[in-house]
Amino acid sequence: MPKLWDETIEAHRAAVRDATLDTAAALVAEHGPASVTMSRIAERTGIGRATLYKYFPDVGAILTAWHERQIARHLDHLAAVRDRAGSPEEGLEAVLTAYALLSYEHREHHRTEIAALLHHGEHALRAQQHLRDFVRDLLAEGAETGAIRGDIAPGELAGYCLHALTAAGGLPSKAAVHRLVTVTLAGLRPPR
Amino acid sequence: MPKLWDETIEAHRAAVRDATLDTAAALVAEHGPASVTMSRIAERTGIGRATLYKYFPDVGAILTAWHERQIARHLDHLAAVRDRAGSPEEGLEAVLTAYALLSYEHREHHRTEIAALLHHGEHALRAQQHLRDFVRDLLAEGAETGAIRGDIAPGELAGYCLHALTAAGGLPSKAAVHRLVTVTLAGLRPPR
């Protein structure tokens, strides 16, 4: 097959996949997770049921794939935020702020039953590890320049920050989220 | 009825209740939550099944009561830790350390499915609020003496600390827990 044809097929598959995930997420948001069935997704997307089953064995697989895509987008967002920052120290502050804002913006979603299920999946644990390593590396860079305390291993500091910033999910405003980032960063500075 | 008789009955009821909760918790630990039945609890405690049903309608009620008792003991422990401390500042450090050590010591328990269920119960939410208010009051006292930063409301700082300290559940040693408390406290100090 010519290369163009391959690319067309690939793009078509990605489009079917994306439409399926978007539709499943919309159905969950509108009517709750119990309402989502393969038939409803097929109907809403206009994809045939037989075709849908070639992509995903069941609704659970679709929701897991949707969650994986969300997480991947969030990690890409954090990496882009770091890349846009000037110094490593600015990068750390920008990344921690972006992470806290994600926790804040997804606070409603994270209170749902389905979130509790998805967050215990293996893909979620892998993403957490990835995020932790990403923040750990930023902290290690900061420790080298003296901006971050060097008396505690960067991996432990990463655990501290990420847990502290999940408090953003219970805050009432973005201003409060920025104050949380300020306090969390203060804990990371070299001791007086 | 004479007072002594009342007291004897009350003590007897408390003993039945405690034995039931202890036994249910032991069965969960030994064989998993699915294995716990009213009959097994009756058998193990030596309390008749009919009597057991007068105390608790089902296993769920027993596990909830057990969890409430655990939480109450933890809150009592934290209050005792504060009362033993000299200054308010020492009290805060001692309470945060004790809380982090509780998270650390219960880390295995908190990873179980049953914990996820119990932690979403109303009693758990009330206990969280109670704990938050308790820490907030300690922080407010500290802000008055200048030991704690006064630029951010004590309620927000309480949310920050309690979230940061839950990182203790993923730490490998008590020494790491103490380092986490050090970092968390550093975030609470007045800004330079």
Side-chain angles (χ1 to χ4, degrees):
Chain A
M1 274 189 288
K3 193 157 171 276
L4 187 65
W5 183 242
D6 263 10
E7 277 169 14
T8 310
I9 290 189
E10 208 34 72
H12 173 72
R13 282 189 184 143
V16 169
R17 226 181 119 80
D18 275 342
T20 304
L21 305 189
D22 292 341
T23 301
L27 287 170
V28 168
E30 287 165 30
H31 310 289
S35 76
V36 187
T37 62
M38 295 298 268
S39 303
R40 279 198 170 198
I41 295 170
E43 195 188 324
R44 176 87 72 106
T45 53
I47 299 164
R49 281 188 74 225
T51 307
L52 188 56
Y53 276 104
K54 278 187 200 150
Y55 282 78
F56 297 102
D58 52 36
V59 171
I62 295 175
L63 294 177
T64 301
W66 169 79
H67 195 232
E68 282 177 351
R69 192 184 65 178
Q70 288 292 100
I71 289 174
R73 285 180 179 173
H74 291 170
L75 292 174
D76 286 350
H77 172 59
L78 295 178
V81 162
R82 180 205 51 200
D83 292 344
R84 271 201 303 275
S87 68
E89 207 189 334
E90 282 166 17
L92 180 68
E93 181 163 356
V95 164
L96 296 186
T97 304
Y99 176 73
L101 287 170
L102 284 174
S103 295
Y104 172 72
E105 280 153 15
H106 290 73
R107 64 197 179 285
E108 290 307 330
H109 160 69
H110 286 153
R111 272 182 212 131
T112 60
E113 217 173 292
I114 194 158
L117 279 173
L118 290 172
H119 290 174
H120 284 89
E122 230 176 86
H123 67 283
L125 296 178
R126 245 181 293 126
Q128 268 172 33
Q129 190 56 51
H130 182 96
L131 178 61
R132 213 186 149 103
D133 292 350
F134 175 71
V135 172
R136 181 202 60 205
D137 293 348
L138 288 172
L139 290 164
E141 275 182 71
E144 269 173 39
T145 66
I148 297 299
R149 62 194 307 154
D151 59 336
I152 295 178
E156 280 184 26
L157 292 178
Y160 151 78
C161 307
L162 293 175
H163 279 86
L165 295 175
T166 56
L171 290 175
S173 68
K174 284 196 181 183
V177 173
H178 287 286
R179 290 193 291 271
L180 174 65
V181 174
T182 300
V183 174
T184 305
L185 278 168
L188 296 171
R189 305 248 183 265
R192 285 172 240 202
Chain B
M1 274 191 289
K3 192 157 171 276
L4 188 66
W5 182 241
D6 263 10
E7 276 169 14
T8 310
I9 290 190
E10 208 34 72
H12 172 73
R13 282 189 184 143
V16 169
R17 224 180 121 79
D18 275 342
T20 304
L21 306 189
D22 292 340
T23 301
L27 287 169
V28 168
E30 288 165 30
H31 311 287
S35 75
V36 187
T37 61
M38 295 297 268
S39 304
R40 280 199 171 197
I41 294 170
E43 195 190 324
R44 177 85 73 106
T45 53
I47 299 164
R49 279 187 78 226
T51 307
L52 188 57
Y53 276 104
K54 279 186 199 150
Y55 282 77
F56 296 101
D58 51 37
V59 172
I62 296 176
L63 294 178
T64 301
W66 170 79
H67 194 233
E68 282 176 352
R69 192 183 67 177
Q70 287 292 102
I71 289 175
R73 285 179 179 174
H74 290 171
L75 292 173
D76 286 350
H77 172 59
L78 296 178
V81 161
R82 180 206 49 199
D83 292 344
R84 273 201 302 274
S87 68
E89 207 189 335
E90 282 167 16
L92 181 68
E93 181 163 356
V95 164
L96 296 186
T97 304
Y99 176 72
L101 286 171
L102 284 174
S103 295
Y104 172 72
E105 280 152 16
H106 289 73
R107 64 197 179 284
E108 290 306 331
H109 160 70
H110 286 153
R111 271 183 212 129
T112 61
E113 218 173 292
I114 194 157
L117 279 173
L118 291 172
H119 290 173
H120 284 88
E122 231 176 86
H123 68 283
L125 296 178
R126 246 181 293 124
Q128 267 171 34
Q129 190 56 50
H130 181 96
L131 177 62
R132 213 185 149 103
D133 292 350
F134 175 70
V135 172
R136 181 201 59 204
D137 293 347
L138 288 172
L139 290 164
E141 275 183 71
E144 269 172 38
T145 65
I148 296 299
R149 61 194 306 156
D151 59 337
I152 294 178
E156 279 184 29
L157 292 179
Y160 152 77
C161 309
L162 293 174
H163 279 86
L165 295 175
T166 55
L171 290 175
S173 68
K174 285 196 179 182
V177 174
H178 287 285
R179 290 192 291 270
L180 175 65
V181 174
T182 301
V183 174
T184 305
L185 278 167
L188 296 171
R189 306 248 184 266
R192 284 171 240 203

